Amino acid sequence: MGYGMTVFLDAKIDTYDQWDEYCHYVAGLVGIGLSKLFTASGLENTEVGQDEAISNSMGLFLQKTNIIRDYYEDILQKRLFWPKQAWIKYGNSLESLKDPRNLNNAVACLNELVTDALKHIPDVLTYLSRIRNQSVFNFCAIPQVTPTCIAL
């Protein structure tokens, strides 16, 4: 996790593949680790802890929705997490999308990123359908639903 975060310390995210990689390091690995803890504690069955792809996807969905939601705050802090592959179609720079004159392009870019994040929904639903412990379910479901409502 630490290694992965250092990879992106000064790097810009140019492609969707890099966006997925960044989200894997900062949130996917957390999803995998928590899933293993849920299983090791006996709160959940082994399938939850063994399916790393689904656990990773849970983390990617949460991180992507947070990145989308935090656009303006991140821009003010000079943090650029939206992939250039998306925003370059809609503006000269990621920062240009905050200009009210670029509203239509900004919304189009936002829609593209939301659509990319939504590809994780089948995995999120599969993961949540496997959870049997109510406390674990609440712990996992609430963070997934909240940013979704805010982002959409």
Side-chain angles (χ1 to χ4, degrees):
M1 179 191 228
Y3 164 76
M5 292 173 81
T6 63
V7 168
F8 290 96
L9 190 60
D10 294 318
K12 296 197 184 328
I13 298 172
D14 290 323
T15 67
Y16 278 108
D17 287 341
Q18 289 173 330
W19 199 35
D20 284 348
E21 182 182 8
Y22 171 77
C23 291
H24 165 74
Y25 285 125
V26 300
L29 290 174
V30 174
I32 292 168
L34 286 171
S35 297
K36 291 181 182 299
L37 284 172
F38 298 151
T39 297
S41 69
L43 293 173
E44 296 300 336
N45 65 41
T46 54
E47 183 180 36
V48 171
Q50 290 176 341
D51 194 340
E52 291 187 2
I54 296 283
S55 299
N56 183 62
S57 193
M58 285 277 289
L60 267 67
F61 178 72
L62 182 61
Q63 188 64 28
K64 287 178 179 184
T65 56
N66 287 339
I67 288 170
I68 293 166
R69 180 199 63 212
D70 294 342
Y71 165 79
Y72 191 71
E73 176 186 331
D74 287 341
I75 288 297
L76 293 177
Q77 299 288 325
K78 306 289 187 213
R79 298 183 303 235
L80 306 176
F81 296 114
W82 285 24
K84 184 176 183 179
Q85 184 178 350
W87 62 255
I88 196 68
K89 299 176 213 172
Y90 306 100
N92 296 330
S93 68
L94 183 55
E95 296 89 344
S96 72
L97 296 177
K98 72 179 169 61
D99 186 330
R101 294 172 293 182
N102 294 331
L103 179 62
N104 289 337
N105 283 345
V107 170
C109 186
L110 174 68
N111 287 339
E112 183 173 327
L113 293 177
V114 168
T115 300
D116 180 78
L118 289 174
K119 73 183 180 188
H120 299 286
I121 290 293
D123 289 342
V124 169
L125 294 175
T126 298
Y127 186 93
L128 292 174
S129 73
R130 293 174 178 171
I131 302 296
R132 300 291 170 242
N133 180 284
Q134 187 64 52
S135 294
V136 172
F137 182 86
N138 294 347
F139 179 81
C140 295
I142 292 170
Q144 296 292 6
V145 172
T146 303
T148 305
C149 295
I150 292 169
L152 299 176

